Amino acid sequence: MNSFDYYNPTHISFGEGKIAELDNLVAKDAKVLILFGGNSARSTGTLDEVKAALGQRDVVEFGGIEANPTYETLMLAVDVVKQQNIDFLLAVGGGSVIDGTKFVAAAALFEGEPWDILLSWGAKVTQALPFGTVLTLPATGSEMNSASVVTRKEYQAKLSFMSDHVYPKFSVLDPSKTFTLPERQVANGVVDAFIHITEQYLTYPVNAPVQDRFAEGLLQTLIELGPNALSEPKDIDVRANLMWVATMALSGVIGRGVPHDWATHMIGHELTVLYDIDHARTIAIVLPGMLDCRREAKQEKLLQYADRVWGITQGTNDEIIDAAIAKTREFFEAMGIKTRLSDYGLDANSIDQIMAQLEAHGMTALGEKQDVDLAMSRKILERNL
């Protein structure tokens, strides 16, 4: 196992009715900016419930954060923070709203051009406003980590940053709030969490059995409960466990002391920016080809994945790996998520556009060994036409 430091200060308040705990979690004299996405937070009653829990605190609202939060919209929120002298942020929504809130928290106190937060991967962040979250869509794990992804439409760029200054102070996780989610978003959340795990697990062995077994258990839980979330949409136990899996998938626990990949995400980000495809669906397109093209470098972990997650042990190494990749693709398809570029109206010409974006954004040496160059990225996408 590699050496590591682990730090995670986020307080989790988990369970039905936990939104009421906001009264204890937010300072009594705080001036709060509630950030949310579209109309669902209001129409489902969640926003009213949050405001009721905040009681007599001074509250300002900022809605309209996109499914892929944009720099342009978030800078409008930064203006509100400064104009209204906001001292606490509260994200109500899924990973996009939380990611956006992290950027607002950092940008509001940033000296200089806030775009540099993303260009520096967060290295220039020295402080941030405190914030909490009320999670309504389990998927990204943003409610318990220090990472954020933001899109700047002007540059057609989707960049991420990390900073210990943008861990949520707390996150309220009420699984009953997921009952109103459309089936598409539930499926996206399951697949997003699944691939977050594989990006930290399907690399190469470093003798880290704790992280491996934890990752394998989370994957098996998603495989078991993912379809149930679609067929039994009001099962609170299913929703509770899926919510916690998604949080654990990217809370930092399974990723400490082991190599990370993230090439699938980097290529997927370009698909989202160029073609406005849901994030989870872009990475579901990329992952099977990624595993296929890199089977030699990932062989030991792919064989372990095949055995421990899918129970595949018979055949040659290549046959076992083929079967594991096929099972992965079948799982995504069973969740209603298509896994081919052609399923989204894209073809070989689209690959040329994606290559140009990867090169423009410096994504020319990806993966746990930095061996995914542009030629390899092209090959990966061609496997998924």
Side-chain angles (χ1 to χ4, degrees):
M1 189 193 313
N2 299 329
S3 298
F4 65 90
D5 293 307
Y6 180 61
Y7 169 76
N8 195 317
T10 302
H11 174 115
I12 298 294
S13 184
F14 189 103
E16 289 187 81
K18 285 291 189 175
I19 287 178
E21 290 295 311
L22 288 172
D23 190 39
N24 300 318
L25 294 168
V26 180
K28 299 294 184 183
D29 60 350
K31 185 169 185 180
V32 181
L33 178 64
I34 300 176
L35 300 99
F36 56 97
N39 191 50
S40 61
R42 197 181 304 278
S43 63
T44 59
T46 299
L47 191 58
D48 285 340
E49 190 175 350
V50 166
K51 289 164 67 177
L54 291 172
Q56 299 303 308
R57 293 171 181 83
D58 194 352
V59 172
V60 179
E61 297 177 17
F62 184 90
I65 295 177
E66 305 90 342
N68 292 288
T70 66
Y71 178 84
E72 292 81 359
T73 296
L74 298 176
M75 287 305 297
L76 296 177
V78 171
D79 290 340
V80 173
V81 170
K82 294 179 177 180
Q83 292 164 7
Q84 297 284 341
N85 294 315
I86 299 295
D87 54 24
F88 192 87
L89 307 179
L90 184 61
V92 178
S96 293
V97 174
I98 299 171
D99 278 14
T101 299
K102 289 175 180 176
F103 177 79
V104 172
L109 301 181
F110 192 73
E111 296 182 4
E113 167 54 52
W115 185 238
D116 287 342
I117 293 171
L118 292 147
L119 293 179
S120 69
W121 297 83
K124 292 186 177 182
V125 176
T126 59
Q127 58 184 333
L129 282 175
F131 71 97
T133 88
V134 175
L135 182 67
T136 61
L137 172 57
T140 70
S142 191
E143 64 276 5
M144 199 180 176
N145 66 41
S146 61
S148 169
V149 182
V150 173
T151 298
R152 189 163 186 175
K153 293 186 291 185
E154 178 186 359
Y155 299 159
Q156 285 195 312
K158 186 171 182 178
L159 301 180
S160 58
F161 81 95
M162 296 184 70
S163 170
D164 283 353
H165 297 286
V166 294
Y167 275 104
K169 299 301 180 184
F170 63 81
S171 286
V172 176
L173 279 60
D174 181 344
S176 69
K177 296 304 171 187
T178 70
F179 286 157
T180 59
L181 290 173
E183 185 175 289
R184 180 187 186 94
Q185 290 185 326
V186 174
N188 281 352
V190 169
V191 170
D192 197 9
F194 190 99
I195 299 177
H196 286 159
I197 298 165
T198 63
E199 294 273 47
Q200 301 164 86
Y201 168 71
L202 284 176
T203 56
Y204 56 86
V206 292
N207 193 18
V210 174
Q211 293 91 320
D212 280 359
R213 290 295 191 182
F214 197 168
E216 290 154 4
L218 293 174
L219 291 170
Q220 289 173 323
T221 302
L222 288 168
I223 292 165
E224 177 184 348
L225 296 183
N228 293 345
L230 302 182
S231 63
E232 304 169 36
K234 297 298 183 181
D235 189 319
I236 189 67
D237 290 326
V238 169
R239 292 302 177 94
N241 281 289
L242 285 180
M243 181 172 267
W244 192 230
V245 168
T247 300
M248 287 292 97
L250 210 54
S251 68
V253 175
I254 66 171
R256 289 299 181 266
V258 299
H260 293 201
D261 188 342
W262 301 114
T264 294
H265 272 70
M266 296 302 100
I267 298 172
H269 286 171
E270 303 300 350
L271 283 162
T272 296
V273 169
L274 286 170
Y275 309 112
D276 198 28
I277 303 171
D278 298 0
H279 167 68
R281 291 164 194 259
T282 67
I283 54 179
I285 292 168
V286 176
L287 182 66
M290 181 73 67
L291 300 181
D292 187 16
C293 289
R294 299 173 66 200
R295 63 174 58 214
E296 183 175 344
K298 293 180 178 287
Q299 178 173 284
E300 289 181 80
K301 292 303 285 285
L302 277 169
L303 293 173
Q304 182 177 314
Y305 169 68
D307 179 7
R308 295 185 181 179
V309 175
W310 295 109
I312 303 166
T313 58
Q314 300 300 311
T316 65
N317 286 348
D318 275 338
E319 288 170 343
I320 290 171
I321 291 170
D322 284 341
I325 295 171
K327 282 287 188 182
T328 305
R329 191 187 293 275
E330 288 168 11
F331 173 61
F332 297 162
E333 298 272 352
M335 293 300 299
I337 293 185
K338 298 297 184 181
T339 59
R340 300 281 184 183
L341 288 168
S342 56
D343 294 323
Y344 300 87
L346 305 181
D347 56 20
N349 291 328
S350 306
I351 295 178
D352 291 338
Q353 292 180 296
I354 299 164
M355 291 302 104
Q357 286 287 96
L358 287 170
E359 184 170 18
H361 297 145
M363 302 297 174
T364 58
L366 304 174
E368 62 269 32
K369 295 182 178 179
Q370 302 291 285
D371 57 351
V372 181
D373 57 13
L374 290 176
M376 176 64 76
S377 292
R378 178 180 291 277
K379 185 178 178 183
I380 287 163
L381 289 168
E382 288 172 348
R383 293 286 174 92
N384 289 314
L385 273 172

